[in-house]
Amino acid sequence: MDRTSASQQSNYGKWTLSSSEDEAEDSTIPSTPSSSRQSLDSVPHYTCSDARKASHKRKVNPVKFEEMSKQESIPAKKIKTESEVSGWCLSSSDEESKPTQSEQKKKIKTDTIDAPVRAQNIQGHTEVTQVKYKTPSDSQDIWDLLQAGEPFRFYLTKVTGIKPKYNSGALHIKDILSPLFGTLVSSAQFNYCFDIEWLVKQYPEEFRNKPLLIVHGEKRESKTKLHEDAHPYEHIRLCQAKLDIAYGTHHTKMMLLLYTEGLRVVIHTSNLIREDWYQKTQGIWLSPLYPRLPEGASVSAGESSTNFRSDLIAYLASYNSPSLREWMDIIKQHDLSETRVYLIGSTPGRFQGKDKDKWGHFRLRKLLRENTSAGPDQEMWPVIGQFSSIGSMGVDKTKWLCSEFTESLKTLGKSIKSLQKSEIPLRLIYPSVDNVRTSLEGYPAGGSLPYSIQTAQKQPWLHSYFHKWKAETSGRSQAIPHIKTYMRFSPDFQNLAWFLVTSANLSKAAWGSLEKNGAQLFIRSYELGVLFLPSAFTGPGSGISLM
């Protein structure tokens, strides 16, 4: 893994990042509404985070260095001290110099990790058939594509600007909404950021008037703007997720698609805006087509061994919304028994007793305790976290990251044997400034990587865990990751103990934090993901093969 040089005292230069979209505790200056004289093109026409607004503004009005007056003085490059070079890079300043020859040699010697996010990398014992790449507008063989995703049904999104072979088996939103997947009756879209006009155009023309429910977390001015955007479309209804706890967000990304042939659930990591489906690395779990249960079927009929249906209904019930009760009834009418993943959700609130194990990282801990077992040397396998946003985690690692959160991630079965926390490698993958600079999108890609300088300066201890993004196997090293994955795999990279794709970034708001001496779990945001466990695919006591 490569670690980049750091500058703890520098700011973000001319590229400004706001605080996290799911953790805003460090934001003390309220955002001001845009001026009426401001160009309409200088801000996105959809609601989004401050970081994305800055990104959009930079795209529309890029800095033109050639227009700089010759008389303007060029600032001298800052000479970094040893202490600054040792940490993670907090700056995206244009002033950064190229690495010296000795630094380049040091980088070459440093181990690198090829982020294992490609669907074909988690093949288990099933042979995966490669399918010919087609662009999102082309009609590819959907059945071959779906077959290539078996048995895990995990896909990446298509990326514009990479070699065609790396988009083989990947999906675009138009593929997901294609009539080849089913004859759509109605749908529900859960997300954080919406571009209504763009979203409607992603549906095939024959489905663009089908009932569509938008589940969002917007408030005040942004809620008004979303309603205005949806007003021209008579088939769209809006459902506001309750966010009564400060700094919480509706961050879940899910599609519920009802067809005449059945029901499909899609859990993914992309906002419903063009940028998130264009040149970023994103993940998708696509359910099987769930058939409708026969009339008179028992209440327990249609449940999977992973309890997916009951957990999905419980998650929807947490919204306490009449609009979602309709979807809960629809889910109850379908057979979800073929599901082989576990649902892990977060919902705002304070939870005690058995309720504490239903959400957030305690939900992950419970599933790992009940459905895994520690094989030979597995307790020494590294724990990996990969995300696109970072929240406030305290003044040192013991406050949350390396205590309650790592305790959940390192769980393997019911064994009471426990290694010292420092003995279990924890590796956090987060794009470096150089990752952003050399990405397909360039510096504007940083708009989807919110980590405020204010938060970063309060937790410098975190940077020693950071490793830069690299995804050579999937051809996506230059496609900035908005995907979030957490996993534990063998040191030789041959087997996975477990794998999770989710909307949850690295923050207490998303995963929850303990209160009242550990008796209560406090969560601010809505999140959703799916967990892949070996026992659901290859039987208990084994890992998911990466070969």
Side-chain angles (χ1 to χ4, degrees), residues 136-304:
S137 59
D138 292 332
S139 57
Q140 56 184 325
D141 191 328
I142 293 297
W143 307 116
D144 283 350
L145 190 151
L146 294 180
Q147 182 62 36
E150 293 291 352
F152 303 103
R153 310 192 66 86
F154 172 72
Y155 304 87
L156 298 179
T157 55
K158 290 178 179 175
V159 174
T160 300
I162 64 175
K163 292 181 179 180
K165 67 178 182 179
Y166 293 123
N167 278 322
S168 176
L171 290 171
H172 186 265
I173 186 172
K174 286 188 175 181
D175 296 323
I176 298 172
L177 299 175
S178 165
L180 295 176
F181 274 53
T183 307
L184 193 69
V185 175
S186 62
S187 62
Q189 297 281 359
F190 297 65
N191 222 294
Y192 171 73
C193 185
F194 292 89
D195 181 343
I196 299 294
E197 181 181 3
W198 177 86
L199 173 60
V200 170
K201 290 179 180 178
Q202 304 317 299
Y203 284 81
E205 288 190 21
E206 60 265 41
F207 297 157
R208 288 182 187 172
N209 290 321
K210 300 296 183 181
L212 169 59
L213 180 67
I214 299 291
V215 184
H216 67 93
E218 303 296 348
K219 296 180 179 179
R220 296 179 289 278
E221 293 88 351
S222 58
K223 178 183 175 181
T224 300
K225 178 65 168 59
L226 187 64
H227 276 260
E228 290 174 352
D229 291 345
H231 183 72
Y233 306 98
E234 295 182 356
H235 68 292
I236 294 181
R237 290 188 300 153
L238 298 177
C239 173
Q240 182 183 15
K242 293 182 180 180
L243 289 167
D244 298 328
I245 299 174
Y247 308 117
T249 62
H250 182 258
H251 204 237
T252 291
K253 295 166 178 64
M254 175 171 65
M255 305 181 191
L256 299 177
L257 306 173
L258 178 63
Y259 308 110
T260 56
E261 301 88 352
L263 173 72
R264 196 183 302 278
V265 179
V266 183
I267 295 174
H268 61 104
T269 64
S270 305
N271 285 289
L272 292 175
I273 58 177
R274 177 184 177 273
E275 290 91 331
D276 274 31
W277 296 84
Y278 181 49
Q279 290 185 318
K280 298 187 189 299
T281 300
Q282 305 275 16
I284 302 167
W285 175 77
L286 187 77
S287 81
L289 179 62
Y290 300 130
R292 193 176 182 89
L293 287 168
E295 291 290 338
S298 66
V299 177
S300 60
E303 184 58 278
S304 69

Side-chain angles (χ1 to χ4, degrees), residues 1-6 12 15 17 87-92 96 107 113 115 117 279-282 384-390 427-452 456 462-463 465-471 476-486 505-506:
M1 297 187 185
D2 292 344
R3 290 181 183 142
T4 62
S5 60
Y12 281 102
W15 180 247
L17 295 183
W88 181 254
C89 188
L90 296 180
S91 169
S92 58
E96 292 191 355
K107 279 191 175 184
I113 183 167
V117 297
Q279 290 185 318
K280 298 187 189 299
T281 300
Q282 305 275 16
I384 310 295
Q386 176 273 310
F387 37 82
S388 62
S389 178
I390 304 171
R427 299 168 184 171
L428 304 178
I429 300 173
Y430 185 71
S432 66
V433 171
D434 196 54
N435 280 147
V436 175
R437 182 182 65 81
T438 60
S439 71
L440 294 168
E441 300 171 88
Y443 278 122
S448 60
L449 301 168
Y451 183 26
S452 74
L462 179 62
H463 311 139
Y465 291 94
F466 282 173
H467 300 272
K468 70 179 184 180
W469 168 258
K470 187 178 180 182
R476 284 164 169 76
S477 290
Q478 290 183 291
I480 284 297
H482 190 258
I483 189 175
K484 294 89 175 158
T485 54
Y486 301 81
N505 281 301
L506 188 67

Side-chain angles (χ1 to χ4, degrees), residues 395-413:
V395 295
D396 62 61
K397 65 182 183 180
T398 66
K399 299 302 181 186
W400 184 77
L401 179 66
C402 291
S403 54
E404 60 179 274
F405 188 58
T406 300
E407 191 69 26
S408 292
L409 269 62
K410 74 174 188 178
T411 300
L412 283 175

Side-chain angles (χ1 to χ4, degrees), residues 245 346-351 512-513 515 520-525:
I245 299 174
S346 292
T347 189
R350 289 177 164 89
F351 307 98
S513 58
E515 297 178 330
Q520 180 171 279
L521 184 68
F522 174 41
I523 299 176
R524 297 179 184 272
S525 298

